[in-house]
Amino acid sequence: MKLVIVAGPPSAGKTAVIRQIIKKFSKTDKPAYLKIDVVKAFEDEELHEEFGIPTRKVYSGDLCPDHMGIMVLKDAITWAEKLKAGILIIESAGLCLRCTPYTTQAFGIAVLPAVSGSNSPLKMAPLIALADAAVVTKTDLVSQAEKEVFRECIRSVVPKIDIIETNAVQGTGLRYLLQAISKYPGISDAETITLRGTPPLGVCTICIGKKDIGWQHHFGVIRPLEEADNIYRGD
C-alpha cells in the first residue's frame, strides 16, 4: 500500500489536489482517505459520496492536529490495510505551518496557493523543506511574473524540490505529480515508519491550559521578548 501525506495551509486547495489523485488511482488502486482537522471537516463525506471510497476523519480538539496525526497514523495504516486499500491519503489540517507531518515510506506533498503572496513560502519553510513535491495551486489567478517569483521563493527554501503548478480544480499540470506517486514505493514495514523531521516543542504550561500572560507565570519552554532563543524554566 502506498502512503501519501498532503499538507498545506487552510484553503490552499489540498482537497482539490487529492480529488485528482483519487481520480487517477481509483481504477487501479483502491484509495482510502483520512482527514485530520481541529473542529469541523466535511471533506471525508464529500469524497465518499463522490468516489465511493472508504473515508474517515478525526478531530484533534485541544491537541495540535499534526501531533495528533502522528499518534493516529499507525492505526490509520492498519485500518486501510484491512480494507485492502492500495493507497492511503492523509490530509492534514495545516494550521501552524511549522509542523512537518511527512514520514518515511510516504510521499509528502506540500500544497501552496499562488495567491498567498510571493514571500509565503518563506513563512512556511518547514512545511516545504521535507516534502517530496510542492504543488502550487490557483495559478490561473496570478500573472506569469508572479508565478515565477513564487517559484523562485520556493527554490530559495528547497533548491531541488519538484514544483508542480496547477489549477487543481481542473487538474491541469498534475501529470508529473501523478506519475511520481505511481512510481513511489509502497510501505515496506509499517513498524519502522518515523517522522522525517522534528515537530515544534509542546512543553509549556500554556499547553496544559494556564491562561496567565507573561513568561514569569509559566514553566517549561518559555520565551521572553528580549531573549534570542527559547529558555527552559523549571525543574
Side-chain angles (χ1 to χ4, degrees):
M1 182 178 71
K2 295 180 186 294
L3 177 60
V4 176
I5 299 176
V6 183
S11 301
K14 296 189 294 296
T15 310
V17 172
I18 289 169
R19 274 189 168 89
Q20 300 301 330
I21 296 173
I22 293 172
K23 286 180 182 178
K24 164 66 176 178
F25 290 95
S26 59
K27 295 180 180 178
T28 56
D29 300 272
K30 181 181 178 182
Y33 168 85
L34 172 65
K35 170 64 177 178
I36 298 169
D37 219 311
V38 180
V39 178
K40 205 68 177 174
F42 303 95
E43 292 87 346
D44 62 312
E45 300 168 16
E46 295 169 357
L47 293 176
H48 175 71
E49 182 177 352
E50 183 175 351
F51 297 103
I53 65 171
T55 63
R56 293 189 67 171
K57 63 185 165 195
V58 59
Y59 297 135
S60 63
D62 293 332
L63 187 63
C64 164
D66 282 321
H67 284 213
M68 192 207 62
I70 297 306
M71 292 184 184
V72 304
L73 180 56
K74 190 174 180 181
D75 291 345
I77 291 172
T78 301
W79 165 71
E81 287 178 336
K82 287 181 178 178
L83 295 170
K84 300 188 183 303
I87 180 170
L88 172 60
I89 304 168
I90 309 287
E91 181 178 353
S92 77
L95 296 178
C96 73
L97 306 180
R98 169 61 182 82
C99 285
T100 53
Y102 317 111
T103 69
T104 57
Q105 302 182 49
F107 189 87
I109 302 172
V111 180
L112 317 171
V115 295
S116 59
S118 59
N119 290 323
S120 63
L122 300 177
K123 299 178 181 180
M124 57 183 84
L127 185 75
I128 305 169
L130 298 178
D132 294 292
V135 177
V136 182
T137 58
K138 306 182 182 182
T139 54
D140 55 313
L141 302 179
V142 298
S143 67
Q144 181 61 34
E146 289 173 308
K147 285 194 289 186
E148 292 177 5
V149 170
F150 198 85
R151 187 187 308 124
E152 289 308 308
C153 195
I154 296 174
R155 294 276 186 219
S156 70
V157 176
V158 191
K160 295 184 179 180
I161 192 171
D162 292 323
I163 300 175
I164 297 100
E165 298 174 341
T166 181
N167 173 348
V169 174
Q170 297 178 354
T172 56
L174 286 178
R175 179 179 297 179
Y176 177 83
L177 176 69
L178 300 174
Q179 289 176 345
I181 294 173
S182 182
K183 294 177 182 178
Y184 201 82
I187 297 171
S188 59
D189 183 1
E191 296 297 325
T192 61
I193 293 176
T194 61
L195 282 171
R196 292 186 183 179
T198 303
L201 299 172
V203 284
C204 72
T205 41
I206 295 173
C207 294
I208 61 172
K210 194 172 174 59
K211 297 181 179 179
D212 304 82
I213 66 168
W215 62 267
Q216 298 88 344
H217 298 287
H218 294 278
F219 300 91
V221 178
I222 62 169
R223 177 70 176 271
L225 180 62
E226 300 301 330
E227 296 291 339
D229 296 304
N230 297 324
I231 302 171
Y232 185 83
R233 182 169 183 260
D235 294 332

